[in-house]
Amino acid sequence: MGQLSGPLNRWFTMRHGLSRSSDARSGAFSRVLAMLVVLMLTIPTLAAVASDGDTPASYDDEDRASSDPSEWLTFKGDKQRTGVSASEAPSVDKVLWQVQFSCSVIYSSPTVWYGTVYIGVSGTIKAIWAKNGTLRWNYNAPNPVHTAPVIEDGIIYAGANDFGGTSAVAVNATTGEEVWNASIPDFVTASPLVLGTNVYFGCQNGLLYCLKRSDGKERWNFTADRGILYGSIALMNDLLYFGIEADGSDNGKLYAVDVATGQEDWNASILGSVWSSPTVADGEVLVSTAGDKSIGISSRKGFVYSFNATTGALTWRTNDLGMVMASPSIKNGRAYVGTFGKFINDIEFITPQMYCLDVTDGDIIWNKTVSHGADNAKVWSSVTIAGAKIIFGDEMGYLNVWNI
């Protein structure tokens, strides 16, 4: 699922504009509004970059490169989807600026490059100046943009789709001009992965597409058993890792596919659907799962699995944590992941938690309920790790910054 972005010593988050009915318990409210919010860091050593909230910070584009560690060019920050940021975390929740997009929906996480925030808003990709929130340019996509824009060598790659049509697009990140637009048969809801001369898109019809970066033409495709939902592809040692939705008996799969040929290297069976990206670190690939809630309360299980990235052998699996919709984020041998918990109607069977797991064996190092007042909050978004803090959003609309 989605994630916060944290380069340029600012943290970019968004409120999704999906209408929801009034719920006194959660404080949810109906709206059709999308909002991008920027939070300031108040760290003395970063004062030259962080604004005081009244005067926009300035950037020298000539001094910034696409390889700058403070940039955030793809979902979860890198091709292994570790979720680790080079920036420090916010120390206060001071808002630098906010932008509202009326009658719009934000499905994607933002990315940042050369002092500009890029984000999909309904049927557009918008480039917004990070220093003051003003619009740099607007690209009208052929369909709603569901993926985080991925930036490589000054080109944006994203998926744009609805029931009227689906596309993969490439857009010039400086000008907003379309480079190419390639038709794809079904929904692309996970951010693409760019490597060398190729860009890879997972599709809800179960196909993984390898397209040429130069013109969007297909090189090859791989057919999985079922749809690739919202999880972006992870990469390590020339293998692409991704999960699929479960079958009618709630059995899912994790795949490893050769990056050059599209040939399957291995697959592993898991319980539940994969709604998020696998994460690769230290020779292991971690993936979280969520059972089909339509089957009944007994099926609403969720686990985190760890497989050997080379062989596909199972290293460990957690106990049932309740549905896990988010991707694990990994740093220093620890994995951080929030859970949806286990509910039926409003009856809570497993409380939503934030977990810190030992990557070597899956043991719980610590866990904590995500709550605000008397209400527990489900966690959909993946964690961003920044210094000695983790940052994540929850279903009640809170941005959480925790010490680790």
Side-chain angles (χ1 to χ4, degrees):
M1 305 302 285
Q3 195 197 30
L4 307 170
S5 297
L8 299 177
N9 307 306
R10 288 168 169 75
W11 290 83
F12 301 90
T13 183
M14 72 294 297
R15 295 178 182 174
H16 293 266
L18 299 174
S19 296
R20 299 191 296 180
S21 59
S22 177
D23 185 332
R25 182 174 182 271
S26 67
F29 55 94
S30 297
R31 67 186 185 276
V32 184
L33 174 69
M35 180 183 294
L36 180 66
V37 179
V38 183
L39 302 178
M40 186 188 89
L41 300 184
T42 55
I43 300 175
T45 57
L46 302 177
V49 177
S51 165
D52 61 6
D54 298 318
T55 305
S58 61
Y59 300 94
D60 183 353
D61 282 356
E62 296 302 318
D63 293 336
R64 305 196 65 80
S66 60
S67 59
D68 190 313
S70 65
E71 304 285 7
W72 195 263
L73 304 180
T74 188
F75 180 69
K76 294 194 73 184
D78 55 35
K79 292 178 175 65
Q80 291 71 46
R81 313 302 183 190
T82 62
V84 177
S85 172
S87 296
E88 293 295 327
S91 58
V92 297
D93 60 350
K94 183 175 182 179
V95 176
L96 279 179
W97 52 259
Q98 63 183 25
V99 180
Q100 294 184 356
F101 306 105
S102 298
C103 301
S104 299
V105 177
I106 295 177
Y107 293 105
S108 84
S109 302
T111 47
V112 182
W113 181 70
Y114 270 75
T116 305
V117 183
Y118 300 90
I119 191 165
V121 180
S122 290
T124 68
I125 296 175
K126 297 186 186 295
I128 300 165
W129 287 112
K131 59 187 177 182
N132 56 22
T134 58
L135 186 67
R136 181 176 179 181
W137 53 253
N138 182 84
Y139 163 71
N140 290 315
N143 298 291
V145 178
H146 285 74
T147 76
V150 174
I151 305 171
E152 191 87 11
D153 298 328
I155 303 297
I156 297 169
Y157 303 91
N161 35 240
D162 64 11
F163 292 104
T166 57
S167 301
V169 299
V171 178
N172 187 297
T174 302
T175 65
E177 295 179 354
E178 184 176 285
V179 178
W180 51 257
N181 175 351
S183 177
I184 288 183
D186 207 339
F187 272 44
V188 177
T189 48
S191 296
L193 183 141
V194 181
L195 182 67
T197 60
N198 298 332
V199 55
Y200 304 87
F201 287 85
C203 193
Q204 289 195 12
N205 65 357
L207 293 181
L208 171 65
Y209 290 92
C210 174
L211 307 182
K212 294 171 63 177
R213 284 179 59 192
S214 58
D215 56 15
K217 291 183 179 179
E218 183 179 319
R219 291 191 189 273
W220 53 257
N221 68 70
F222 169 79
T223 303
D225 284 353
R226 288 171 297 281
I228 304 167
L229 298 174
Y230 297 92
S232 299
I233 305 156
L235 169 74
M236 191 179 78
N237 294 338
D238 297 326
L239 289 178
L240 303 170
Y241 302 94
F242 62 94
I244 62 171
E245 65 180 324
D247 61 18
S249 299
D250 230 10
N251 297 308
K253 277 186 180 180
L254 175 69
Y255 284 91
V257 172
D258 187 275
V259 72
T261 66
Q263 297 299 307
E264 181 180 316
D265 197 76
W266 56 261
N267 74 72
S269 297
I270 52 180
L271 182 62
S273 295
V274 178
W275 290 86
S276 59
S277 302
T279 306
V280 188
D282 302 324
E284 294 288 310
V285 53
L286 274 64
V287 65
S288 54
T289 67
D292 184 355
K293 66 180 182 180
S294 67
I295 298 176
I297 189 61
S298 63
S299 71
R300 299 187 186 192
K301 298 177 180 178
F303 306 90
V304 177
Y305 289 81
S306 181
F307 295 92
N308 182 287
T310 302
T311 66
L314 178 65
T315 304
W316 52 259
R317 189 192 80 172
T318 64
N319 293 325
D320 182 12
L321 305 178
M323 298 168 69
V324 189
M325 314 294 286
S327 171
S329 295
I330 299 176
K331 183 179 180 181
N332 295 335
R334 295 187 174 192
Y336 302 89
V337 64
T339 69
F340 193 82
K342 183 180 287 190
F343 292 81
I344 186 166
N345 297 323
D346 282 331
I347 302 172
E348 183 179 280
F349 289 80
I350 295 180
T351 302
Q353 302 275 315
M354 177 59 61
Y355 287 91
C356 173
L357 306 175
D358 189 323
V359 172
T360 60
D361 54 18
D363 285 352
I364 297 172
I365 297 173
W366 57 258
N367 61 291
K368 181 180 177 182
T369 301
V370 182
S371 62
H372 306 286
D375 296 322
N376 296 329
K378 304 179 183 74
V379 178
W380 293 75
S381 74
S382 301
V383 165
T384 297
I385 307 170
K389 293 182 172 66
I390 57 172
I391 306 170
F392 61 96
D394 64 44
E395 193 182 55
M396 291 177 65
Y398 286 88
L399 175 66
N400 304 276
V401 181
W402 288 7
N403 291 317
I404 55 174

